[in-house]
Amino acid sequence: MVLAILRGDQVISKPSAGDQLSLGDLLIVLGLRDQLHRLEKLAANLSNCKT
């Protein structure tokens, strides 16, 4: 669960499914260990994508 997005000096609390991530955003998340590992792998794969 994404609790918040930190974007520069802005905090987006309780982001909706429609909120889009921007380069440099920091996610505050809550989940079980295996869920967080899956998120970490997904984020690593996305960072390897070229835009």
Side-chain angles (χ1 to χ4, degrees), residues 24-35:
D25 282 354
L26 182 67
L27 300 179
I28 306 300
V29 298
L30 176 68
L32 299 174
R33 186 181 308 255
D34 64 316
Q35 293 169 324

Side-chain angles (χ1 to χ4, degrees), residues 29-48:
V29 298
L30 176 68
L32 299 174
R33 186 181 308 255
D34 64 316
Q35 293 169 324
L36 298 176
H37 283 292
R38 286 196 311 253
L39 176 60
E40 185 178 22
K41 288 179 184 178
L42 177 64
N45 287 336
L46 290 176
S47 68
N48 292 328

